[in-house]
Amino acid sequence: MTAGELTKIVLNKEELFILDVRNQSDFDNWKIEGESVEFINIPYFDLLDSVDQALEQFPSDKRLLVVCAKEGSSKFVAEQLVEAGRTNVSYLEGGMKSWSEHLEPVKIGDLKDGGSLYQFVRIGKGRLSYMVISSGEAAVIDTFRMTDVFERFAREQGATIKHTLDTHLHADHISGGRKLAEQTGATYWSPPKDATEVTFPYEKLEEGRDITVGNTKIKIQPIYSPGHTVGKDVVYRR
């Protein structure tokens, strides 16, 4: 099962039972969760000799997904479960690493002057990016480091990325905004209060500096939000 397939199961609230074979400390620190997802943690080394004793801990009427850090251990355990007679079992391709990096584009609205607003859900980390598309142009807001996803999606939508924006200095993930701008020839925007030490050119996200994307304008309204850096900007369509 790919991370994309798993994302759709979680977002659609489909039933799934997960056997996580990572060490307990890794499992306790971070796991796959969802409204209709059940899980159990049995470390890989406890299943090396046999999976027979663990079979009774898994519901027989639900899909079973085996998960590990990078794929190898979960693939081995899944194969052992199949040999033991368990059906409807799979493993997560790429492991938790792929789950961490997967971005799922979700359309969240239409723009009144034509175009669409998409949210890119990094479901494994609970982070969000956005893309505004209008008349063949696109702007990406709070880009993740997996920039190829944004390039590919824009291309599929027939759009050229013209702008990338970081609404604030991110402490919880690595920004891909500047990298994406360099790859596509787009203009990179950042709040000046968060860019006092940068040595590269950028456009300042300041009040009154509207950004045009096709037939749409993004109006910049700086609003400080507690818990964020002082450069925190809120961007919205006008």
Side-chain angles (χ1 to χ4, degrees), residues 50-69:
S50 174
V51 298
D52 293 343
Q53 293 183 346
L55 285 172
E56 60 185 24
Q57 300 184 61
F58 315 138
S60 58
D61 59 340
K62 295 182 180 179
R63 284 177 290 186
L64 174 62
L65 176 67
V66 189
V67 172
C68 68

Side-chain angles (χ1 to χ4, degrees), residues 19-26 41-54 66-69 72-74 76-78 80:
L19 166 61
D20 194 316
V21 299
R22 294 175 297 155
N23 294 330
Q24 183 177 341
S25 58
D26 295 328
N41 173 228
I42 304 177
Y44 170 69
F45 290 105
D46 293 344
L47 298 169
L48 273 178
D49 292 334
S50 174
V51 298
D52 293 343
Q53 293 183 346
V66 189
V67 172
C68 68
S73 298
S74 60
F76 173 81
V77 172
Q80 298 306 305

